[in-house]
Amino acid sequence: MTARDVVLSRIRAALGEPRPGPAPVPREYRPAGAVATDLDLFVDRLTDYRATVHRCADTDVARIVDEVLGDRQIVVPPGLPRHWLPASVRAVPDDNLTAARIAALDGVVTAAAVAVAETGTIVLDGAPDQGRRIITLLPDVHVCVVRSDQVVATVPDALTRITPHRPLTWISGPSATSDIELNRVEGVHGPRNLHVIITA
């Protein structure tokens, strides 16, 4: 008998009879499609997170972008629909801009891959109309355009629409933390201002 066997046998003796295994954990999660999508709930969650919500037709997106970012210089992903940009903004396409260059810009406009009504979360997957993750983290203002048919009810619904090996960014409101004495501080890890334009 080795020293290891002696130690283990003493531990077993001290513990007594074999203990029962852990109780089974209920796995009755809601599957995709279990809940109907509630667009008003999505708006309510976004507002609760202090995001600013705009609702308009796709043809009016440029007007909203003008109201938020007019006369400012912004970064845009290479595949962003150009009709979303008003003439008043100076758009800089992201062709591998440096972090310093992106941080010096006033804002960013992107599309989204999917959004979750129940959590007020927007998911970006790095598609050409959303761009690299860095362009949504450094500018102080993020304007994100979400089509109403991209809004799903729950996270399981969202998981059916995304490809897990893509670079996913899940956004629930402006960047904020309450790590220090529960005092909310915005803009520490990303934009302080999130505008969500929901189009019909």
Side-chain angles (χ1 to χ4, degrees):
M1 179 176 284
T2 66
R4 178 177 181 275
D5 295 332
V6 171
V7 170
L8 291 177
S9 66
R10 288 178 180 169
I11 292 173
R12 288 189 192 99
L15 292 175
E17 294 297 318
R19 295 181 178 186
V25 177
R27 305 285 183 189
E28 299 167 358
Y29 305 125
R30 288 178 301 170
V35 179
T37 301
D38 184 343
L39 203 56
D40 291 332
L41 177 63
F42 179 54
V43 173
D44 182 64
R45 293 288 191 267
L46 288 169
T47 304
D48 190 48
Y49 292 148
R50 300 185 187 178
T52 303
V53 181
H54 312 264
R55 296 176 82 164
C56 67
D58 181 80
T59 52
D60 286 334
V61 169
R63 177 180 57 79
I64 302 297
V65 173
D66 178 56
E67 292 174 5
V68 177
L69 290 167
D71 298 323
R72 299 167 80 179
Q73 194 171 36
I74 65 171
V75 59
V76 295
L80 190 78
R82 289 300 186 251
H83 71 277
W84 288 353
L85 298 176
S88 62
V89 299
R90 299 185 298 281
V92 179
D94 177 36
D95 54 359
N96 289 318
L97 298 172
T98 65
R101 178 73 174 115
I102 295 168
L105 298 171
D106 299 312
V108 58
V109 178
T110 72
V114 65
V116 182
E118 187 174 67
T119 61
T121 304
I122 297 164
V123 183
L124 310 182
D125 68 359
D129 58 357
Q130 299 152 48
R132 297 185 296 155
R133 177 177 291 153
I134 190 173
I135 69 172
T136 63
L137 296 178
L138 296 181
D140 196 42
V141 180
H142 181 187
V143 176
C144 186
V145 182
V146 180
R147 296 190 321 269
S148 57
D149 64 357
Q150 291 179 303
V151 181
V152 297
T154 64
V155 170
D157 294 311
L159 294 177
T160 66
R161 293 203 186 186
I162 57 178
T163 305
H165 65 266
R166 295 187 65 87
L168 302 175
T169 304
W170 296 64
I171 301 169
S172 296
S175 170
T177 180
S178 300
D179 289 346
I180 301 176
E181 297 183 359
L182 298 179
N183 292 321
R184 182 179 170 97
V185 178
E186 297 180 345
V188 176
H189 308 295
R192 283 184 301 170
N193 302 286
L194 175 65
H195 290 256
V196 180
I197 303 175
I198 303 172
T199 64

